[in-house]
């Protein structure tokens, strides 16, 4: 990430993004510079408008959050229109006897697993 940050610093300072400038920024920050990574980053960003890429990246999460919020609102609105009756095919096996020991269920598992 340090390499990308250094490229952003150069862009913000209106300095040319080249290997020497990138290396100088990284050196000033105390980063152990790998020449191959510097060359790769400079080559990758050669035809990229960094200002445009940053502005698009800043808009994308906000647009995604707005779309997600709208979808959640629509889903909540759908529930109000329909009345859902919850039923179960599982018979009610609750025991109304309150005197039963609560640990009795755990004993059977203990016997199973030793």
């Amino acid at each position: 990430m340090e390499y990308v940050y250094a490229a952003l610093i150069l862009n913000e300072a209106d300095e040319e993004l080249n290997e020497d400038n990138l290396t100088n920024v990284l050196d000033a920050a105390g980063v152990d510079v790998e020449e191959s990574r510097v060359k790769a980053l400079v080559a990758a960003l050669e035809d990229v408008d960094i200002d445009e890429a940053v502005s698009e990246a800043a808009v994308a999460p906000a647009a995604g959050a707005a779309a997600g919020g709208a979808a959640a609102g629509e889903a909540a609105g759908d529930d109000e229109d329909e009345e859902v009756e919850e039923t179960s095919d599982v018979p009610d096996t609750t025991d109304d006897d309150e005197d039963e020991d609560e640990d009795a269920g755990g004993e059977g598992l203990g016997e199973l697993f030793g």
Side-chain angles (χ1 to χ4, degrees):
M1 288 303 285
E2 299 91 3
Y3 292 78
V4 174
Y5 292 144
L8 289 172
I9 290 170
L10 289 170
N11 182 67
E12 188 66 27
D14 292 327
E15 295 291 328
E16 182 182 355
L17 182 59
N18 59 35
E19 293 175 27
D20 290 332
N21 287 348
L22 192 60
T23 301
N24 290 339
V25 170
L26 292 167
D27 280 336
V31 175
D32 292 328
V33 180
E34 295 178 29
E35 188 177 329
S36 61
R37 291 180 70 185
V38 170
K39 287 181 180 188
L41 182 61
V42 170
L45 295 176
E46 186 175 353
D47 295 326
V48 175
D49 182 359
I50 295 175
D51 291 325
E52 182 180 331
V54 168
S55 66
E56 287 176 6
V59 171
E74 290 174 9
D78 290 344
D79 289 342
E80 294 174 7
D81 296 338
E82 297 178 17
E83 185 175 323
V84 177
E85 182 179 328
E86 294 184 25
T87 61
S88 174
D89 293 333
V90 179
D92 184 14
T93 59
T94 57
D95 190 7
D96 292 333
D97 185 17
E98 294 180 13
D99 295 332
E100 185 177 326
D101 187 12
E102 292 180 10
D103 294 330
E107 290 175 5
L109 291 176
E111 291 176 15
L112 270 174
F113 298 108

